[in-house]
Amino acid sequence: DADRGFEGFGDPRLNEIMEALSPAERAVPLAMSLRGVASWSDAALAAGAAQPEVFGERVGRKVKGLAARITGRRHSRHSDAPGLNPGQLAVPL
């Protein structure tokens, strides 16, 4: 079942973000690596969202918020841990 877990990245922070997204939301950051995709709205369009501007921007805010929360939590445990850039979600398909 796709909703049970996501283990597609070597960085556990990226996996945690992807697990927090629904399958439709997950398709948006994955589409960020496609040629011609330059924004969250473009990625949502490439992922087949019905309202790509609205959906893409919502997913982008969610991903950035999750990244900030996860990075902040990890920084509090490991002060030398590198930050997580949401742009790292782009994966060549």
Side-chain angles (χ1 to χ4, degrees), residues 74-75 77-82:
R74 293 196 188 260
H75 274 298
R77 285 189 277 180
H78 308 286
S79 61
D80 61 341

Side-chain angles (χ1 to χ4, degrees), residues 6 8-9 14 29-35 87-93:
F6 188 88
F9 299 104
L14 297 176
L30 290 174
M32 291 293 282
S33 66
L34 299 175
R35 184 175 310 208
Q88 289 175 296
L89 291 174
V91 188
L93 299 177

Side-chain angles (χ1 to χ4, degrees), residues 16-17 20 63-75:
E16 189 172 345
I17 289 171
V63 167
K64 289 174 187 177
L66 288 164
R69 189 188 82 222
I70 291 166
T71 300
R73 188 175 67 223
R74 293 196 188 260
H75 274 298

Side-chain angles (χ1 to χ4, degrees), residues 28 31-32 36-45 52-53 56-57:
V28 176
M32 291 293 282
V37 172
S39 69
W40 290 105
S41 297
D42 291 346
L45 179 64
E53 270 192 38
E57 294 308 313

